Amino acid sequence: MVIYRTGPSERAPVLEKIVEKFRSLILAGVVVLLSSVFVLQFGGPQAEGCTTSTVSTAASVRGHTIGAGDFEAAYLLSGADRYPPALTKQANLKQLVLHGLVERRLLAERARDLGFRISEEEVMRRVAKDGTIYVSMASDAPPFFGSGPRRFDFSDSNDRFSKDNLKRFIQYRLRRSVREFAQGQIEETLAHQMRELIRATVSISDTELWNAFVQEREKVTLKYLRFSPAYYGGSLSPSSADVDAWMQAHQDDLNAAYEKEKHRYTDLEKQVRTRHILIKVDPNAPEQDKSKARDRAAEILERVKAGGDFAALARQLSEDSASARQGGDLGYNSKGRMVKAFDDVQFAMKPGAVSDVVESRYGFHILRVEGIREGDVPLEEAKRELAQQAYEKETSERLARAAAQAAHAKLLQGASLAELAQTRNDAQGQAEAEEDPMAPQVRDAGPFGRSDTAIPGPFDSGSLVKAAFRLTTDEPFLDEPMQLGSDWFVVKLVERTHAKAEDFNEEERGRMLDRLLPTRERQVLKGYVKRLMQEATADKALAVNDALLTYEGVE
């Protein structure tokens, strides 16, 4: 039985025993004898096996043909067949294998030009000795799919190498003749030696090692306030006059927006626009907790029935923080978008109606239906809705920027971040505001390095990282608030650590070398192979059969 091994550290104990035996000086002569017997009993280079039935070309490299059978064997040796088809397509494994064969040929040619030579007997002796088979993958393959040795176990039930197991593997698993396999391993070995030669030319200077050490050790810790338009937009209630003015000033923009969003307003199934107030409770909570939540919702319902402003109560009391900022507004939704208990009630109500307390798996709701629409929304109504959305977006962005600028100015005047965190642009109380994740609150960032992400979010915080490393304990503030995405940030340096020369000892230098060298080697090798490919392409000596790169049955 042939067992695939991914690397030396994962070889089965059986194979380890074989390797250890072959390392013994006592058996050194046996290796030579075995390899000779191996060639004789396999029939030498003339032995044929179960080659592929079709003779097709996978690629042509400077007059040398790489057959489809070579590609299929390399694909199996790479282990790609062990992955689901969808994953092999996602990772472009067929392309990595085929380009690896092309690169193999170019590197082997260059190795021969430099005087490298290896015989069939030598490569077969290596396979017999420790099951090492070289495999080439494209130079831009991820490290875990990279070129290099693969370990296979060809031992028999007595833990001894079995030429019959190897022969069956070559002929029936790879569908190659012994000679085709040996010739392929000659190409692989020469390419491997060429890669090793290229890697041997790579070095990392002491300056580079020190800079990497500094980058790793130098860290910044910040405290910051985040001013998000999403937070300020929740408190907006634009008047008809505000929307009218915006529409008058932006007619061309509004027409373009409608054409882009027209599908949202034509041929609609029935939709309901609802506001809600939610009092949360876990569906598995004790009945006592559910009863308290239900009573709380009932109290709020009484306030609504007594004439309370539904939107204002939602902002203040709803525990659905996302919709609470919009006064509980969930917008227009088709049937099936909400949980069934919620849907059943809202689609049975008329505009302006308020529901009784409704229980769902999220807790207890109070609903107010704001509108119903179906079919085509009148043009004026659609444009007015788009205008209000655009007005609220612009206004919320302006409010967030203004709040950040005001907070930054106070920070420079000596106010603390904790004091600034109380800046609010709505009527929410302090306790409720702090529960809102979008409210300005003092948060920590770091410690982070120059290549790290300072603040997670749907934006690139690289500009903040660069600015943060310009701060000092004497000047811990930025010149002005920083915008990342649509949000604004006011920051203060808390701590900055520096690399110390006395800590950069031989152990650290070695660790930095181990970290940097593999990446540099891959970069240099990739650049070298790229030049070989460019030269072959310029000479019109390179052709690849892309038909082999399809994935049947995978969308």
Side-chain angles (χ1 to χ4, degrees):
M1 179 177 64
V2 180
I3 304 174
Y4 178 79
R5 305 294 177 199
T6 59
S9 63
E10 300 179 11
R11 289 180 298 194
V14 170
L15 185 55
E16 291 289 357
K17 292 177 182 178
I18 296 173
V19 174
E20 193 60 36
K21 289 177 182 178
F22 278 116
R23 288 189 183 129
S24 170
L25 291 176
I26 298 175
L27 294 180
V30 176
V31 175
V32 178
L33 177 62
L34 175 61
S35 55
S36 300
V37 172
F38 184 88
V39 174
L40 290 173
Q41 293 191 3
F42 271 29
Q46 292 76 30
E48 296 300 324
C50 303
T51 58
T52 51
S53 58
T54 58
V55 181
S56 59
T57 300
S60 177
V61 184
R62 297 196 179 280
H64 174 82
T65 298
I66 299 173
D70 298 318
F71 168 76
E72 292 164 4
Y75 192 76
L76 291 169
L77 287 172
S78 72
D81 64 311
R82 296 180 293 123
Y83 296 96
L87 180 59
T88 60
K89 181 179 181 180
Q90 182 181 352
N92 290 322
L93 289 185
K94 288 188 176 182
Q95 185 177 32
L96 296 179
V97 171
L98 184 53
H99 287 191
L101 289 174
V102 172
E103 294 178 12
R104 180 184 84 177
R105 180 61 187 178
L106 292 171
L107 288 168
E109 279 187 344
R110 190 55 56 94
R112 289 188 178 94
D113 292 343
L114 294 175
F116 287 85
R117 295 292 185 273
I118 190 167
S119 67
E120 291 181 5
E121 180 180 343
E122 289 174 300
V123 298
M124 297 306 283
R125 181 189 303 175
R126 182 191 68 230
V127 175
K129 177 181 178 182
D130 57 15
T132 300
I133 297 177
Y134 287 118
V135 178
S136 285
M137 300 289 280
S139 56
D140 57 355
F144 48 86
F145 282 131
S147 302
R150 305 289 197 274
R151 302 289 187 182
F152 295 82
D153 185 359
F154 302 111
S155 60
D156 59 19
S157 59
N158 295 317
D159 295 348
R160 297 174 181 172
F161 167 74
S162 169
K163 65 177 182 60
D164 291 331
N165 281 350
L166 176 56
K167 185 175 182 180
R168 280 192 291 269
F169 177 75
I170 293 171
Q171 294 181 330
Y172 300 112
R173 175 65 173 156
L174 303 182
R175 299 187 65 80
R176 300 277 82 193
S177 71
V178 174
R179 182 178 187 183
E180 287 170 335
F181 174 80
Q183 287 293 327
Q185 281 302 294
I186 288 176
E187 292 286 293
E188 289 286 2
T189 305
L190 290 172
H192 177 74
Q193 291 173 337
M194 195 65 201
R195 292 189 191 97
E196 291 297 296
L197 178 63
I198 295 167
R199 292 188 183 102
T201 66
V202 178
S203 62
I204 307 291
S205 69
D206 283 343
T207 300
E208 290 175 295
L209 294 175
W210 166 250
N211 289 339
F213 180 75
V214 169
Q215 188 176 54
E216 179 182 274
R217 289 294 181 93
E218 193 172 22
K219 301 288 184 181
V220 162
T221 301
L222 303 175
K223 286 188 179 296
Y224 68 91
L225 292 175
R226 180 175 185 169
F227 297 85
S228 173
Y231 173 72
Y232 293 97
S235 63
L236 295 178
S237 297
S239 65
S240 294
D242 292 331
V243 178
D244 289 339
W246 193 95
M247 294 177 71
Q248 186 64 33
H250 301 85
Q251 292 185 18
D252 291 342
D253 293 338
L254 187 55
N255 290 335
Y258 177 76
E259 289 303 317
K260 182 179 180 180
E261 302 291 335
K262 190 175 182 179
H263 64 281
R264 292 173 47 202
Y265 299 99
T266 55
D267 194 25
L268 301 178
E269 57 182 304
K270 187 177 180 180
Q271 296 180 341
V272 178
R273 180 181 179 185
T274 304
R275 293 181 188 270
H276 84 137
I277 298 171
L278 172 66
I279 302 301
K280 290 182 178 179
V281 65
D282 191 287
N284 299 316
E287 186 56 39
Q288 182 180 359
D289 293 346
K290 288 186 177 181
S291 180
K292 289 176 62 176
R294 187 184 296 108
D295 291 344
R296 172 71 169 149
E299 291 173 4
I300 297 172
L301 177 58
E302 290 303 315
R303 294 175 64 176
V304 172
K305 289 180 177 180
D309 186 307
F310 194 101
L313 288 170
R315 291 190 185 96
Q316 181 182 2
L317 303 174
S318 178
E319 295 175 358
D320 176 10
S321 59
S323 68
R325 290 194 299 272
Q326 283 74 44
D329 193 354
L330 299 171
Y332 279 100
N333 289 286
S334 304
K335 196 169 183 63
R337 291 287 301 276
M338 303 297 179
V339 291
K340 187 177 185 303
F342 192 104
D343 247 4
D344 289 345
V345 174
Q346 71 170 350
F347 274 89
M349 295 170 61
K350 295 180 179 180
V354 176
S355 74
D356 291 328
V357 174
V358 178
E359 183 177 1
S360 80
R361 67 172 180 265
Y362 297 107
F364 296 95
H365 310 257
I366 304 166
L367 283 62
R368 174 186 166 88
V369 170
E370 300 293 321
I372 297 174
R373 64 189 183 189
E374 191 172 5
D376 293 343
V377 177
L379 179 62
E380 182 64 22
E381 180 182 336
K383 285 189 174 182
R384 191 168 190 82
E385 181 177 301
L386 288 170
Q388 180 168 331
Q389 291 171 355
Y391 173 86
E392 290 177 353
K393 181 176 184 293
E394 289 182 5
T395 304
S396 61
E397 289 175 349
R398 184 177 69 253
L399 290 172
R401 181 174 65 252
Q405 290 171 339
H408 186 75
K410 292 179 181 178
L411 185 68
L412 296 181
Q413 293 169 7
S416 69
L417 286 172
E419 293 170 339
L420 297 176
Q422 298 177 15
T423 302
R424 298 290 184 264
N425 200 51
D426 61 11
Q428 275 188 298
Q430 178 70 17
E432 288 82 5
E434 288 183 350
E435 291 176 1
D436 187 340
M438 302 306 293
Q441 300 173 45
V442 180
R443 300 185 185 277
D444 296 319
F448 57 84
R450 293 180 182 272
S451 59
D452 296 333
T453 297
I455 299 174
F459 43 70
D460 180 4
S461 65
S463 56
L464 177 59
V465 173
K466 291 180 181 179
F469 275 90
R470 292 195 293 268
L471 300 177
T472 65
T473 52
D474 293 332
E475 296 184 3
F477 309 120
L478 300 177
D479 293 336
E480 57 186 0
M482 176 166 287
Q483 185 177 19
L484 299 177
S486 60
D487 294 353
W488 290 86
F489 293 83
V490 172
V491 306
K492 178 182 179 180
L493 176 70
V494 175
E495 183 181 17
R496 181 171 177 178
T497 59
H498 298 272
K500 299 178 181 179
E502 57 267 29
D503 293 336
F504 190 52
N505 52 36
E506 286 303 315
E507 181 180 350
E508 289 299 318
R509 183 178 282 103
R511 189 172 63 83
M512 288 295 106
L513 183 62
D514 290 341
R515 199 187 86 183
L516 298 181
L517 192 58
T519 300
R520 178 68 59 80
E521 288 175 345
R522 285 194 295 270
Q523 291 172 343
V524 172
L525 177 60
K526 185 177 178 180
Y528 186 87
V529 169
K530 183 178 180 180
R531 289 192 296 274
L532 292 181
M533 297 280 282
Q534 288 173 338
E535 291 171 2
T537 301
D539 294 340
K540 297 182 179 180
L542 176 61
V544 175
N545 183 4
D546 290 333
L548 290 174
L549 304 180
T550 59
Y551 295 83
E552 295 182 5
V554 181
E555 297 182 359

